[in-house]
Amino acid sequence: MRIGVVAPARAIKEEVAARVLAFAAIVFPSVDLVIDPQCFAEAGHFAGPDELRAETFLRYANDPAFDAIWFARGGYGSNRILDEIMPALKPAAYRKRYIGYSDMGFMLGAMYARRVGRVAHGPMLIDMGTGGGDKTVTRSLDWLTGGTRGLEPGLGDRPAAAFNLSILTAMIGTPWLPDLTDHVLLIEEVGEPHYRMDRMLWQLSQSTQLKGIAGLRLGGVTDIVENDVAFGEEVEPMFEKWARVMGVPYLGRAQVGHMRDNWVVPFGMRG
Amino acid sequence: MRIGVVAPARAIKEEVAARVLAFAAIVFPSVDLVIDPQCFAEAGHFAGPDELRAETFLRYANDPAFDAIWFARGGYGSNRILDEIMPALKPAAYRKRYIGYSDMGFMLGAMYARRVGRVAHGPMLIDMGTGGGDKTVTRSLDWLTGGTRGLEPGLGDRPAAAFNLSILTAMIGTPWLPDLTDHVLLIEEVGEPHYRMDRMLWQLSQSTQLKGIAGLRLGGVTDIVENDVAFGEEVEPMFEKWARVMGVPYLGRAQVGHMRDNWVVPFGMRG
C-alpha cells in the first residue's frame, strides 16, 4: 500500500512530516508513505509555485504505483491549479482515494464533480501538530487503507459531503461546485467573525445550485474572530435560521472541523 | 427635492447626521434631507432588527413624496432584508434614485436586476466622517439632485457597475446578482488580506454568470490585512491576471472605494 503526500496549497514543516512518518511506521507498518519534497517548498504564501504544485499532484495522482493521496495541509491555493490538473487526470487517478479538508475542499469538490476516485473530508498531516494528533491522523490513514474506524459517527444512509464554509461559498456559481442534490451537507468554519459567517450562510441559502440538498449539519466553528460590536446572534441559531430560509432540515452538530475532533466524511455514500 | 436617508445595514452616529445636515443646508439649500431615526438604532451589529430596517426602507422607497434615497452606511446586513423588500416595492420606488456602496451593493444589485429606479455606487453619509468629507458627500448629493459633477472620470460610453469585491462575490450563484453582460465592472475592496482577494477574484473569474462582462477596472484597495507570510503577489498584477483568466480586458484603475477619492458610478449608462 503506497500513499503519496502532496501539498496543493500551503507547505508543512519537515518536523511534522518526520513525526507522521515515525508514527505511521509503527501503527500502519504495511503503508509506504511517500512525502514529496514539494510539501516543504515555499513561494510566498504557497508550497511552491502553481506549476510545481500542479505537476506534483498530477505525478502522484496519475501514477498507478500509488494507491492513495493524502493532502498535507490546507491554507489557500488549490483552487488556482484546478484548471490545469482536472483535464490532465489519467485512469490511475480515477482508482485512488484522496483525503483532506479546509482549502482542499476545492480539490475534493472538483474531483467529486468528475467522479475522480473516492474523496473524503478528513485530517491532514498538519494535524499531527507538535504531538497529540495521533488519533486524529489515524482516522485518515485508516480510511486511506480501506478502514471505517474514523468515519464521522453521524453519517447515515444518505450521501454526504463536508466543506469549510468559506471554501464552499467560493465555489458557488462556478463549474467546480459538484452536484450535491440529496446530500447531507456538513459545514465547518475557522477564523471568521459572525458577520462573515452570516453572509456566507446567506449565500448558501440563496444559491440556486444547492437548492436540492437533503439537510445541513454544523461542524466545529473554531477561532471565531470578535466583531467590533457583538453580533447579537449565536452560531448555531444562525445556522438553523439559514437552513430554514433555504428550506432544508437542520440535522444537528457534526464532528468535523479545524480541531482534534475531526472525523472522516467520504463524499457520497459512506461505504 | 426630498431625499430620505435610511440604513439597511449598520448605524451612524447622530453627530455624523448633524454635520451632513448642516453642510447640505448650505450647499444644497433646495434639498430637504430627511434622516430617519432608524439610522441611529442599534441591535447587535445592525441598525435595528431586520424588520425595522426593511420597514423603514420600504416606507421611504414607496412614498411618492420622496425623490431619492441616500444610504447612510454599509457594514453588513442589507442582504438579510432583500427577500422582504424586493417584492414589496411599489411604483413610487421605481421612479427614485438610490446611492450607496460597500454592503449597499446588495441593494443596488438587487434593484438593478429588477430595473427599480436609478441606482449608483457612491459616497454615503458616513463618509462625512469627523470633517473633511465635504467634497466626497457632495458627489452623491449632486447626483441625487440630477447633477453629473461627481461622476467617476473614467466612465465611457459603455454601461458600468461598481461593487465591493466581497459583496459581489457573495451574490454570485444567487438570483440577486444582476445581469452585467457588456458592463464594465469597477471593483474595490477594503480590509482583506491578499489571499482572500485572490480567492474572490478567482471566483469572479470562474463565475458562469459574469462571463459576458466587457471589462474590469480596479478601484481602491485599502486597509489590506497582512498575511502571516507575505503573499508574494501585488494587488494590481493579481487583478490583471484574473481578468486574463476570465478572458476580459483589464481597463486600468478606477476612482471608487473606501476612501475620499470615491466617485459616483451610476449602474448602466452614465447619463
Side-chain angles (χ1 to χ4, degrees):
Chain A
M1 177 83 192
R2 297 184 80 203
I3 299 176
V5 178
V6 298
R10 294 194 78 169
I12 55 169
K13 302 272 183 218
E14 302 210 26
E15 303 86 87
V16 171
R19 271 194 296 275
V20 173
L21 282 172
F23 173 74
I26 295 163
V27 182
F28 293 87
S30 69
V31 167
D32 181 16
L33 199 60
V34 179
I35 303 180
D36 193 87
Q38 177 266 320
C39 293
F40 317 122
E42 300 269 6
H45 175 93
F46 307 101
D50 290 351
E51 298 69 27
L52 177 66
R53 303 198 316 283
E55 178 273 316
T56 308
F57 173 77
L58 284 173
R59 184 153 40 82
Y60 286 82
N62 289 335
D63 186 345
F66 282 88
D67 304 289
I69 305 275
W70 191 12
F71 295 120
R73 186 182 176 187
Y76 169 70
S78 65
N79 56 327
R80 293 164 46 119
I81 60 174
L82 295 179
D83 257 338
E84 188 171 341
I85 61 183
M86 288 301 151
L89 291 171
K90 300 221 160 67
Y94 285 75
R95 292 190 293 267
K96 286 185 174 57
R97 291 190 167 203
Y98 303 84
I99 195 164
Y101 69 109
S102 197
D103 187 79
M104 294 303 108
F106 287 122
M107 303 287 286
L108 305 178
M111 287 193 283
Y112 190 56
R114 285 155 192 76
R115 306 289 181 266
V116 177
R118 190 93 174 86
V119 304
H121 185 278
M124 298 182 288
L125 267 75
I126 189 80
D127 294 305
M128 179 58 101
T130 53
D134 301 8
K135 283 186 187 165
T136 304
V137 298
T138 294
R139 295 179 201 129
S140 287
L141 281 164
D142 179 70
W143 183 78
L144 287 173
T145 53
T148 58
R149 286 181 300 154
L151 293 186
E152 202 277 337
L155 297 177
D157 295 326
R158 281 187 288 193
F163 283 98
N164 173 272
L165 181 57
S166 295
I167 304 306
L168 178 63
T169 53
M171 299 178 90
I172 288 177
T174 80
W176 302 110
L177 185 70
D179 180 0
L180 296 171
T181 304
D182 296 331
H183 287 58
V184 174
L185 197 48
L186 287 66
I187 303 284
E188 62 89 22
E189 190 51 283
V190 62
E192 299 288 348
H194 283 78
Y195 86 89
R196 279 182 193 272
M197 288 190 274
D198 197 67
R199 193 165 67 194
M200 291 189 281
L201 291 169
W202 173 82
Q203 184 172 17
L204 200 72
S205 78
Q206 306 294 309
S207 159
T208 46
Q209 284 168 302
L210 294 172
K211 285 285 174 231
I213 66 167
L216 283 166
R217 292 175 61 203
L218 176 61
V221 178
T222 51
D223 292 337
I224 296 176
V225 174
E226 283 300 314
N227 273 309
D228 52 351
V229 292
F231 188 69
E233 296 170 18
E234 295 306 317
V235 173
E236 194 171 5
M238 274 167 53
F239 197 81
E240 285 189 68
K241 173 193 143 174
W242 291 116
R244 208 159 50 236
V245 168
M246 198 171 180
V248 303
Y250 171 59
L251 303 170
R253 300 305 301 248
Q255 286 167 262
V256 295
H258 283 70
M259 55 192 191
R260 288 277 154 82
D261 196 25
N262 185 23
W263 294 67
V264 175
V265 180
F267 282 30
M269 299 305 287
R270 66 180 164 172
Chain B
M1 177 83 193
R2 298 184 81 202
I3 299 175
V5 178
V6 298
R10 293 194 77 170
I12 56 170
K13 302 271 182 220
E14 303 209 26
E15 302 87 87
V16 171
R19 272 196 293 275
V20 173
L21 282 172
F23 173 73
I26 295 163
V27 182
F28 293 87
S30 69
V31 166
D32 181 15
L33 199 60
V34 180
I35 302 178
D36 193 88
Q38 177 266 320
C39 294
F40 316 122
E42 300 268 6
H45 174 93
F46 307 100
D50 290 351
E51 298 68 29
L52 176 66
R53 303 197 316 281
E55 178 275 315
T56 307
F57 173 76
L58 284 173
R59 185 153 39 82
Y60 286 81
N62 289 337
D63 185 347
F66 282 89
D67 304 288
I69 305 276
W70 191 13
F71 294 120
R73 185 182 177 187
Y76 169 69
S78 65
N79 56 327
R80 292 164 47 118
I81 61 175
L82 294 179
D83 257 337
E84 186 169 343
I85 61 184
M86 288 301 150
L89 291 172
K90 301 223 160 65
Y94 285 76
R95 293 190 293 267
K96 285 184 175 59
R97 291 189 168 205
Y98 303 84
I99 196 165
Y101 69 108
S102 197
D103 188 79
M104 294 302 110
F106 287 121
M107 303 286 286
L108 304 179
M111 287 193 283
Y112 189 56
R114 285 155 191 75
R115 306 290 181 266
V116 177
R118 189 93 174 88
V119 305
H121 184 277
M124 300 183 287
L125 268 75
I126 188 80
D127 294 304
M128 179 57 102
T130 53
D134 301 8
K135 285 186 187 166
T136 304
V137 300
T138 294
R139 296 180 200 127
S140 287
L141 282 164
D142 179 70
W143 183 78
L144 287 173
T145 55
T148 58
R149 285 183 299 153
L151 292 187
E152 203 277 337
L155 298 177
D157 295 326
R158 281 187 287 195
F163 283 98
N164 173 272
L165 181 57
S166 295
I167 304 306
L168 179 63
T169 53
M171 299 178 90
I172 288 178
T174 80
W176 303 109
L177 185 70
D179 181 359
L180 297 172
T181 304
D182 296 330
H183 287 58
V184 174
L185 197 49
L186 287 66
I187 303 285
E188 62 89 23
E189 190 51 283
V190 62
E192 298 288 348
H194 283 78
Y195 85 88
R196 278 181 192 274
M197 288 191 273
D198 196 69
R199 193 165 67 195
M200 291 189 281
L201 290 169
W202 173 82
Q203 185 173 17
L204 200 71
S205 77
Q206 306 295 310
S207 158
T208 46
Q209 284 168 303
L210 294 172
K211 286 284 175 233
I213 65 167
L216 284 165
R217 291 176 62 203
L218 176 61
V221 178
T222 51
D223 293 337
I224 296 177
V225 175
E226 284 299 314
N227 272 309
D228 52 353
V229 292
F231 188 68
E233 294 170 18
E234 294 307 317
V235 172
E236 194 172 6
M238 272 167 54
F239 197 81
E240 286 189 67
K241 173 194 144 173
W242 291 116
R244 208 159 49 236
V245 169
M246 199 172 178
V248 304
Y250 170 61
L251 303 170
R253 301 302 302 247
Q255 286 167 264
V256 296
H258 284 71
M259 54 192 191
R260 288 276 155 81
D261 196 25
N262 185 22
W263 294 67
V264 175
V265 180
F267 282 31
M269 299 304 287
R270 67 182 165 172

